[in-house]
Amino acid sequence: AYRSQANEKWLKAQGRVSRIHRKKPRGKPMPDHVRRANATKSKIRARVVERVRPILGQVADTVRSLRSPKKLLQLFGGNLATQLLFAVALGLCLRAFGGSLNLATLLTVYVASALFGGMMPVPGGVGVMEAALTAGLVAAGIGSTTSAATALVFRLVTFYLPPLWGWLSLRWLRHHDYL
C-alpha cells in the first residue's frame, strides 16, 4: 500500500509528508467522500506509475551508460560531427551560388536555425528552417536571393531528398530479397 507504515516512516525520516491520500481521523470513521477521493487518487497513481515506470527504467539505463567516458565521447562527438557536417553542407550549397562564409559562422547559422525550426510546431521544421537559414545567412552578410537559394538547396539535399533515396534503396533491397 502506498500509505503503509513503512512508507510513512520513510517519509517522516526524509522530513516529508504524503499529500496523496488523506488519513482517517483518529477515533472516527473515514468520511465517505474522503474514502472515494483516496480510491480515485490510487487508481490515477497506479495508471501514472504503470506508464512512467518503464520510461524511468530506460532513463536509468541511459544515465548508467553515460558514466562511461567512451559512451560520452560517442554521444557528444557524434553530435558535434553531425553539426559540423551539416554546416559544411550549408557552406557547399552557399559556394554553389558564389558565396562563402567561415565554418564558425556557418555552424552558428545552422545550429540557430535548427533550434528555431525544432521549437516550431511544424513537422521537420518545414518552411521554418528555410526562413531561419535565409535570415541567418542574410544577417551574416550574404545577399537575400543567394541566401534563399542556398537555404532551399540545402534543405532539398539534407531533408527532402534523403527519404527518396531511402525509398529507392528499400525497393531495391526488397526486389533482391534482402528484406
Side-chain angles (χ1 to χ4, degrees):
Y2 293 119
R3 195 72 191 213
S4 68
Q5 287 186 355
N7 286 347
E8 290 288 329
K9 187 185 249 184
W10 182 84
L11 286 169
K12 188 173 182 180
Q14 300 294 318
R16 297 181 176 167
V17 176
S18 172
R19 296 205 166 130
I20 304 251
H21 294 98
R22 289 183 151 178
K23 285 185 175 181
K24 178 179 94 53
R26 199 173 290 240
K28 296 181 183 177
M30 182 175 281
D32 200 37
H33 71 282
V34 173
R35 185 186 50 73
R36 284 193 311 270
N38 283 348
T40 302
K41 290 175 188 176
S42 291
K43 288 177 186 175
I44 292 171
R45 181 163 195 233
R47 284 184 183 169
V48 169
V49 167
E50 177 183 310
R51 290 185 182 185
V52 170
R53 189 164 287 164
I55 295 169
L56 289 178
Q58 292 172 354
V59 169
D61 290 342
T62 302
V63 169
R64 265 188 249 113
S65 71
L66 290 179
R67 290 184 183 155
S68 161
K70 181 181 174 185
K71 294 286 186 184
L72 277 173
L73 181 64
Q74 287 175 339
L75 177 70
F76 291 110
N79 189 13
L80 177 63
T82 300
Q83 301 305 318
L84 287 172
L85 287 172
F86 275 118
V88 167
L90 180 62
L92 291 172
C93 291
L94 179 60
R95 186 157 307 243
F97 293 102
S100 68
L101 289 172
N102 62 34
L103 184 60
T105 305
L106 290 167
L107 190 60
T108 303
V109 168
Y110 173 72
V111 170
S113 299
L115 285 171
F116 186 69
M119 285 190 291
M120 296 301 132
V122 179
V126 175
V128 177
M129 271 289 290
E130 290 82 354
L133 286 167
T134 301
L137 291 170
V138 167
I142 304 297
S144 61
T145 54
T146 303
S147 296
T150 299
L152 290 173
V153 168
F154 173 75
R155 287 289 281 175
L156 179 73
V157 170
T158 61
F159 184 74
Y160 298 109
L161 288 180
L164 178 62
W165 300 328
W167 177 73
L168 291 172
S169 299
L170 181 65
R171 281 194 51 183
W172 185 87
L173 289 168
R174 284 184 177 163
H175 178 73
H176 293 285
D177 292 326
Y178 288 111
L179 293 179

